[in-house]
Amino acid sequence: GHNRWSKVRNVKGPRDAARSRLFQRLGLMLRTAAREGGPNPALNAQLANVVEQCRAKNMPKASIEAAIHSAVAARLLYEARGPGGSALLLEVLTDNPRRSQQDVRLVLTRHGGTMAEGARHGFEQKGVVRVGPRDLQGHPVSLETALEAALEAGAQDVCPDEEEEEEEEPALKFICETSALQNVRERLEASGLRPLSAAIEYLPRDRVTLPEGTREQADRLLQALGDCPDIVRLYHNIQ
């Protein structure tokens, strides 16, 4: 019994903490989307997309509604360089920009990074639609099916979503031009797939390969930045 509790505690504790951070970030995203386009998802496509992400992550309905109608936050984009000259973009939502900048700068300094203008030139904005690994009928989505759906929907590329490491079956990531985002999402759903979210993101133009020691340092930096509650999206060009 003790051994079992130890295992549960060691697994459940970190997961609960990660889930709490995730809900905190989603709440900030809801508040900002509501400020920019109003609190009605039917009239605010950005808010509707964030609500969809919240539901996909099983965020309670009451928490979603409370976040939409609470105080709004500022949206900021920080540019940075990491170990080995890697490029980083940090999307931040905060009600205290000065505090957030100080916190992020401290994390970067501790792990071999620095704030750096110009890092965004290594990225391009793209529309990204994440689709569940199973279709609306509950059947697994094969790569062949995904490729056919991408062509029909007007997407430029499709690949597994490597960011969702906790999921046994990773979601599929469909990439398109930003102007086609909503249309691609609707076409994918019409083809029988299950969209989880649709958003404009920064994708690296090229990726850099770091030597082992530098890569380990970069991994520690990415982990530390991922633990910052104000950072809602973290983009990098590390292979």
Side-chain angles (χ1 to χ4, degrees):
H2 173 75
N3 186 44
R4 183 184 177 202
W5 160 246
S6 176
K7 290 180 180 178
V8 171
R9 181 187 57 192
N10 291 337
V11 172
K12 188 174 185 300
R15 284 184 178 175
D16 285 348
R19 187 179 183 84
S20 177
R21 289 195 299 269
L22 173 63
F23 284 175
Q24 185 177 2
R25 292 170 185 172
L26 289 172
L28 284 169
M29 293 171 69
L30 287 167
R31 291 196 289 273
T32 299
R35 180 198 65 182
E36 294 177 351
N40 187 349
L43 303 176
N44 183 345
Q46 181 185 356
L47 178 59
N49 287 331
V50 179
V51 169
E52 200 168 16
Q53 294 179 54
C54 294
R55 289 172 177 165
K57 296 299 184 182
N58 298 315
M59 186 174 181
K61 182 179 179 181
S63 299
I64 295 174
E65 294 178 350
I68 290 175
H69 295 96
S70 63
V72 297
R75 179 186 293 271
L76 305 169
L77 185 69
Y78 295 151
E79 302 172 82
R81 291 287 177 184
S86 52
L88 307 170
L89 286 184
L90 315 173
E91 188 176 343
V92 171
L93 289 178
T94 178
D95 55 4
N96 190 330
R98 178 174 294 183
R99 182 208 66 216
S100 295
Q101 186 177 45
Q102 290 175 343
D103 290 347
V104 170
R105 191 186 300 275
L106 180 60
V107 171
L108 287 167
T109 302
R110 285 177 174 172
H111 297 277
T114 182
M115 293 283 202
E117 292 185 8
R120 76 174 66 195
H121 298 313
F123 299 82
E124 58 182 336
Q125 284 190 306
K126 290 288 185 180
V128 178
V129 182
R130 285 180 171 78
V131 169
R134 294 179 179 269
D135 62 21
L136 294 174
Q137 304 300 320
H139 302 130
V141 179
S142 67
L143 182 58
E144 182 179 355
T145 299
L147 289 170
E148 291 177 359
L151 287 173
E152 293 176 2
Q156 299 171 323
D157 195 10
V158 59
C159 59
D161 185 10
E162 300 174 352
E163 296 180 17
E164 298 292 338
E165 297 177 354
E166 296 182 1
E167 303 294 335
E168 293 182 5
E169 295 179 296
L172 296 169
K173 188 164 64 174
F174 290 78
I175 299 169
C176 63
E177 292 296 338
T178 57
S179 59
L181 178 62
Q182 195 61 28
N183 188 45
V184 169
R185 180 203 173 285
E186 292 172 354
R187 288 189 177 185
L188 290 173
E189 187 170 22
S191 70
L193 299 182
R194 183 169 55 89
L196 301 175
S197 65
I200 295 175
E201 300 182 10
Y202 290 90
L203 302 184
R205 298 181 187 276
D206 297 294
R207 291 191 176 272
V208 297
T209 301
L210 303 178
E212 185 174 348
T214 306
R215 177 55 197 261
E216 291 175 356
Q217 185 182 23
D219 286 342
R220 289 193 293 271
L221 171 60
L222 296 178
Q223 178 65 48
L225 290 171
D227 289 336
C228 291
D230 292 345
I231 298 178
V232 293
R233 296 290 302 179
L234 168 59
Y235 306 100
H236 63 82
N237 67 344
I238 301 171
Q239 183 70 40

